[in-house]
Amino acid sequence: MLDVAIIISGSGSNLQALIDACKEENFPARIVKVISNNPDAYGLERAKKSGIETEVINHVDYEERQDFEDALDQSIKDSGAKIICLAGFMRILKGPFVNRWKNRILNIHPSILPAFKGLHTQERALEAGVRFTGCTVHFVSSDLDGGPIILQAITSIDQNDTADTLNAKVLELEHQIYPEALKLVASGRVRVSENRVRTEKTTFANISVINPLISK
Ligand code: GAR
């Protein structure tokens, strides 16, 4: 059983998907702590409802980024977590923290990386006129949204889609692939070599996640 700490900034719908997955029988990970940099994040309520320890580590309380990251590091170490999932955490993590947790921080991003790194991904996808959008679970490296990719899922962009409809479609996919990615990592079926993820052959609960051309 792998102990996981989750870091959030907001609503925490991905956190909820991970909480629900961890409740499933034989799921190889459990959430030992939820940390938020935003004291008003709704995700904190979700964690409390499930009896998970929470802590607010607010970046505005620290003058230097390094001090904020050291506080995160200490809190995660204290929790005993061996791996971190960023779930809608809207701060950038830099070198020392990321190096200390190399290939042990997962992030979910609402685009098909390496396209549309950063913010406002669906608006930019619409502007670019691409036909598909989606989401990516990846390990965090010191390049923004740039680490080794674990899983991706896509959905088509239709004529009538707006940023809001796309956000909703993509969020639904996120809730499917984040638990699958955590399961893969926690069960030791993922290794990173030459900045790429190799996964052992596995069967997935939802095949449309793997072959998402058929999902809409
Ligand atoms: C999700 O769409 C996630 O991919 C995105 O924020 C949203 C959080 O929603 N993350 C990023 O953009 C990170 N760069 P949630 O709080 O409901 O999980």
Side-chain angles (χ1 to χ4, degrees), residues 7-17 41-43 46 86-92 107-111 116-122 134-136 138 144-145 167 170-172 174-175 178:
I7 314 184
I8 59 167
S9 295
S11 149
S13 69
N14 277 289
L15 164 68
Q16 190 65 56
Y42 179 63
R46 298 182 191 266
L86 308 182
F89 177 58
M90 304 310 272
R91 307 288 306 169
I92 292 170
N107 181 45
I108 185 134
H109 182 76
S111 78
F116 308 121
K117 298 176 177 184
L119 298 175
H120 309 300
T121 52
Q122 307 317 338
C135 52
T136 302
H138 64 98
L144 176 68
D145 298 325
N167 277 324
V170 168
L171 207 51
E172 214 173 290
E174 292 183 32
H175 300 160
Y178 212 173

Side-chain angles (χ1 to χ4, degrees), residues 35-96:
I35 301 170
S36 174
N37 67 313
N38 168 12
D40 300 322
Y42 179 63
L44 289 167
E45 302 309 313
R46 298 182 191 266
K48 283 177 198 156
K49 265 187 213 150
S50 289
I52 300 167
E53 187 187 343
T54 60
E55 185 173 356
V56 173
I57 302 181
N58 194 338
H59 59 281
V60 301
D61 295 336
Y62 300 85
E63 255 173 47
E64 303 291 333
R65 177 199 298 272
Q66 181 72 56
D67 297 333
F68 169 61
E69 293 185 357
D70 285 348
L72 284 178
D73 189 46
Q74 193 56 53
S75 166
I76 295 161
K77 278 186 189 143
D78 291 346
S79 76
K82 298 287 180 276
I83 202 155
I84 302 166
C85 288
L86 308 182
F89 177 58
M90 304 310 272
R91 307 288 306 169
I92 292 170
L93 294 168
K94 284 281 178 180

